[in-house]
Amino acid sequence: MAPRWTPAADWLVTDPAAAEILWHPNKRIHLKPFLGRSSDLASASAELGVKKTAMSYWINRLVETGLIRVERTEKRGRHTLTFYRSIADRLRVALKDAPMESYEAVFADFSARWNTTAEQTLARSLAKQAPDLELCFQPYGNGGPFTTIMPREGVEPPPDDFIYYWARLWLTHEEQAALAADLNALYDKYGALSDKSSKTVPALVHLMHVRLED
């Protein structure tokens, strides 16, 4: 039996080939069975739903790029199973080393986890409020038509089942800084209250504030 080794708690990945794997969702998914735990070829293949030949290829790639290594081997009957684990339980890549076509792609990749859930949940909420709402169209600069959702005229605005704002604000530098600080404080306040084990009302929150260049 090969000696065990202990993975690092944290690791900055600098090798370009390893960084390229981590930055692409369809490639880094093959690392999943080995993050924070060990797995053999058959178990990893079954977990990801890929053929053993494909999983074997990716294990070799991950070993070659230094993202995983052999943790141990076990003798089971006439077979010897090899277990692999990520070199660290937390991996990092410098943003400057991201092999993305653009920084827009970085945000698209970062948001992919949440977009489908957000859109489906917003659509369900909108459907519940649809009898009391209207879709309005109006000019916007040289473009358009600009669309927005408004309460129907003469109808009491429905209670907020969701909050969804896009707004362009003109502020001073000091007010911009205060807005950013308020949003960070809001997240910190309710993030500290969040407790999945004892609270039963989940909510999806997305806060964004960025200075627009002239």
Side-chain angles (χ1 to χ4, degrees):
M1 179 180 293
R4 286 177 178 266
W5 61 276
T6 302
D10 184 86
W11 190 270
L12 176 64
V13 176
T14 57
D15 178 74
E20 196 265 346
I21 290 175
L22 290 175
W23 273 103
H24 289 86
N26 62 334
K27 296 181 181 182
R28 68 170 175 255
I29 188 64
H30 300 94
L31 186 64
K32 180 184 175 185
F34 312 107
L35 274 173
R37 55 199 166 103
S38 60
S39 183
D40 66 333
L41 168 62
S43 299
S45 174
E47 179 178 342
L48 297 181
V50 301
K51 294 181 179 179
K52 289 183 180 180
T53 52
M55 194 67 236
S56 177
Y57 165 81
W58 277 105
I59 285 177
N60 289 333
R61 281 281 307 274
L62 295 171
V63 169
E64 289 169 359
T65 55
L67 288 173
I68 67 172
R69 60 174 291 186
V70 175
E71 183 199 44
R72 70 184 191 278
T73 59
E74 291 184 4
K75 192 76 173 177
R76 295 187 183 177
R78 293 180 296 174
H79 301 285
T80 298
L81 298 183
T82 302
F83 289 81
Y84 303 86
R85 182 164 176 162
S86 172
I87 57 168
D89 292 338
R90 180 173 181 257
L91 300 171
R92 296 177 288 118
V93 180
L95 191 60
K96 66 179 178 61
D97 296 329
M100 311 293 272
E101 295 179 359
S102 66
Y103 282 116
E104 287 87 350
V106 174
F107 284 102
D109 179 51
F110 182 76
S111 301
R113 175 184 177 187
W114 304 108
N115 282 343
T116 299
T117 298
E119 290 173 0
Q120 292 175 348
T121 306
L122 285 167
R124 286 195 297 269
S125 295
L126 191 63
K128 289 192 293 185
Q129 296 189 14
D132 300 320
L133 300 175
E134 296 175 336
L135 187 61
C136 304
F137 304 87
Q138 62 191 58
Y140 181 75
N142 295 325
F146 173 75
T147 60
T148 187
I149 298 170
M150 300 290 291
R152 288 173 50 205
E153 289 190 7
V155 174
E156 186 72 20
D160 281 333
D161 195 43
F162 64 90
I163 297 173
Y164 188 77
Y165 292 122
W166 282 98
R168 184 178 308 205
L169 306 177
W170 281 260
L171 305 169
T172 66
H173 290 290
E174 293 75 14
E175 290 166 341
Q176 288 264 5
L179 174 59
D182 287 346
L183 291 176
N184 279 320
L186 184 68
Y187 176 81
D188 290 342
K189 174 183 177 180
Y190 287 95
L193 294 174
S194 180
D195 186 347
K196 185 177 180 180
S197 63
S198 65
K199 298 182 180 180
T200 59
V201 185
L204 186 61
V205 177
H206 178 206
L207 298 177
M208 184 181 76
H209 165 259
V210 62
R211 180 178 174 181
L212 291 173
E213 298 296 334
D214 295 334

